[in-house]
Amino acid sequence: MISMIKQTKLQGVYETFYGKRRFFATKSFAPGTNVYGEIVMHEDGEEYRLWDVMRSKLCAFMVKDADQIAIRQGSTVLYLGASSGTTVSHVSDIVGETGFVFAVDFAPRMLRDLVFVAEKRSNIGPIMGDANKPEEYLTLVSEVDVVYQDVAQRNQFEIFVKNCDLFLKPKGFGLLAIKARSMDVTKKPQMLFNEVREQLEKKFTIVDKRILDPFQKDHIMFLVKKK
Amino acid sequence: MVRYLFTNCAGTFLFDENGTIVEHKEISEPDLIRVRKGDLIQQESRILDKHSSDEIHIVNRKTDTPGSGKTSPEMLHKILENFKDAKYFSQYHSLNLAVIKHDIKQSIEEDLFILQSINLVGDIDKAINQLSKRLREWYGLYVPEYSRSEPDTEQFIESILVKDKNELLTPLNINPSESMGADLSAENIYPLLKLAEQIKALHVLRKEQAAYIEKVMNRRYPNLSIIAGTIIGAKLISHAGSFKNLAGLPSSTIQLLGAEKALFRHLHNRRALPPKYGVLHEHPLIQSAAKKDHGKIARALADKLCIAVKVDYFKGAYIGDKLLKDLEKKFSASR
């Protein structure tokens, strides 16, 4: 039933079959720990954590056949909207010892869980901060290779630009998850996505975009490069 | 010469215009917390004194610290470039953890306790309901006539805990031998009464929680409490997520807190009418008024509450009684 774990074309991301389903997986940076009840597999003395596509937008992005995700071994990532650390833990797996994830969120309740995750992973720096005011965490982060954003706020776009301006290295990559309902609950999602795309094109080169249905309703993820 | 003073969790640094490090000192956790508050720390003052002949810009600090707030975005980038270095990662990890634990602790306030308590009251009500149904069903095998005659659950439980079958049926003028219920042995009555005891304990717990909510609400949020009452006030806080959130809401939102399902149904469907009130509907001013006035009163209530929570948030004067009087004058008089 369980077949071999294979490397995919995305560095640090593996795939396997569990039962009849295909799963993406990452090699655990903190073997022996479990973050959100994920399925864990062992092969050749290595521990792999199966990535739940229903709980992670980054995973949904890959399942929708994204060619690249910009996050790789050694990347420094600014992760806005870290929540309790579900996706953050997989990013931590991918960037490994030579990378780092600055995980920012606003809600103390979620951050409490994130702290427990970060205590076991030396490449995660959890930060309580408002993504709307990046100056407030200037003392806690460095310049980064990638800005990953998944905050359900009305001014998602503005937040993304502010943080990329301040922290993203020149020619760095951004991953922006947009939730249509957060921006305007009455407009049609496709219209909102087009509006965001037009605004993104002014400051970034759009490398890829995927609508995350059926894994996340009315969500789209953009992969962009700083101009 | 122009210099830039910048402190983050990698330490205190002095940069030149090219972003090259001129001075560097490691930083301790308590100092980092001071820096995040906006203060200048000792090692920074020392560096400022040492380079007093230079023009020093203090980056990312309160603008009233001399020399701060003049760093251009380009310069900031040159500075930040230095920090994407693996040698600082362990510091980022340990200091970020220390700072966030401090921040999370600081964020815990009394409204969070109210939130848990009022939600618990809801949980207890559901539990009492469910267990009481079970108790009545079960008791119906023993003395169905009494089970049917006493509608008030609390009274029902009080009675069955102290009276036996005869004592319960005699006041109802029923001959115990004519009862439809079985004559249960002590062994079979025991689990029944144990259940009754637990439900009684839940009632007591609920009362204690309500008293706790009342105490904290009146003490900490007097204006909100006098107008909405402590229970509705607590529910409003719960629906808003926190008191800070509640204080920032417009009155139209306060009016509809609790009616989210109806609100979004209306927003998605032109033909569904918008709700007029949420938890506010439980307020005595609305309960005692004619149905056609409910919406109007809810709106006025929400308006006053909007003011009241802001006064409470900034710990201002007690004006809640005046606001309540305005409302009572407007609506009680119209009856």
Side-chain angles (χ1 to χ4, degrees), chain A residues 76 98-100 102 108 115 118-119 121-122 124 126-128 136 138-140 142-143 145 165-166 168 185, chain B residues 6-9 35-36 60 76-77 80-81 83-84 89 92-93 96-97 100-101 103-104 107 267-268:
Chain A
T76 41
T98 49
F100 201 84
F102 296 101
V115 166
E119 276 177 334
R121 288 158 179 273
S122 59
I124 298 181
I127 295 169
M128 178 153 128
E136 289 183 354
L138 199 48
T139 47
L140 301 172
S142 72
E143 190 186 61
D145 299 318
D165 278 346
L166 201 49
L168 186 56
V185 82
Chain B
F6 181 72
T7 299
N8 69 0
C9 48
V35 165
R36 280 179 50 78
N60 82 321
L76 194 53
H77 260 284
L80 287 176
E81 245 171 25
F83 297 116
K84 196 164 75 73
F89 286 171
Y92 292 154
H93 178 68
N96 268 312
L97 269 175
I100 201 180
K101 285 182 187 177
D103 285 348
I104 290 177
S107 76
L267 288 176
H268 289 300

Side-chain angles (χ1 to χ4, degrees), chain A residues 34-223:
Chain A
N34 200 298
V35 175
Y36 58 95
E38 67 272 21
I39 301 166
V40 168
M41 287 169 64
H42 294 91
E43 203 173 271
D44 295 331
E46 301 274 14
E47 184 174 290
Y48 296 88
R49 302 169 55 233
L50 267 53
W51 207 334
D52 187 346
V53 68
M54 296 306 291
R55 292 171 71 160
S56 173
K57 299 188 183 69
L58 182 55
C59 188
F61 187 61
M62 295 190 306
V63 172
K64 297 293 292 239
D65 293 321
D67 282 322
Q68 49 172 319
I69 56 172
I71 296 171
R72 55 216 324 267
Q73 192 178 56
S75 297
T76 41
V77 182
L78 176 64
Y79 193 122
L80 303 169
S83 190
S84 24
T86 319
T87 305
V88 174
S89 66
H90 286 286
V91 174
S92 154
D93 285 345
I94 296 174
V95 307
E97 251 177 15
T98 49
F100 201 84
V101 186
F102 296 101
V104 180
D105 203 285
F106 193 45
R109 181 62 195 85
M110 301 297 148
L111 288 171
R112 234 163 49 208
D113 293 337
L114 182 64
V115 166
F116 290 123
V117 174
E119 276 177 334
K120 298 285 195 318
R121 288 158 179 273
S122 59
N123 64 0
I124 298 181
I127 295 169
M128 178 153 128
D130 184 354
N132 250 309
K133 305 185 189 135
E135 326 79 49
E136 289 183 354
Y137 39 90
L138 199 48
T139 47
L140 301 172
V141 305
S142 72
E143 190 186 61
V144 295
D145 299 318
V146 182
V147 171
Y148 180 97
Q149 178 176 312
D150 178 14
V151 304
Q153 299 266 333
R154 203 192 178 102
N155 59 337
Q156 292 169 88
F157 180 73
E158 196 188 315
I159 293 174
F160 185 65
V161 170
K162 263 198 256 192
N163 279 275
C164 286
D165 278 346
L166 201 49
F167 299 117
L168 186 56
K169 72 175 186 195
K171 302 282 194 249
F173 286 93
L175 281 152
L176 175 61
I178 294 277
K179 178 176 176 175
R181 255 182 300 150
S182 294
M183 297 186 76
D184 189 328
V185 82
T186 48
K187 276 192 188 159
K188 274 206 155 68
Q190 193 52 57
M191 225 171 74
L192 281 165
F193 297 157
N194 288 335
E195 282 175 25
V196 174
R197 185 176 47 81
E198 278 166 22
Q199 295 198 307
L200 275 174
E201 278 168 347
K202 294 183 193 153
K203 302 200 92 175
F204 301 92
T205 319
I206 297 187
V207 176
D208 197 358
K209 64 181 196 302
R210 305 272 156 180
I211 290 184
L212 304 181
D213 281 62
F215 309 111
Q216 303 280 345
K217 188 161 178 266
D218 300 335
H219 278 74
I220 190 172
M221 175 97 84
F222 289 96
L223 174 62

Side-chain angles (χ1 to χ4, degrees), chain B residues 247-267:
Chain B
L249 291 176
S251 67
S252 54
T253 307
I254 295 179
Q255 187 177 341
L256 300 182
L257 281 175
E260 288 81 6
K261 186 171 165 196
L263 176 64
F264 284 101
R265 192 176 58 210
H266 159 69
L267 288 176

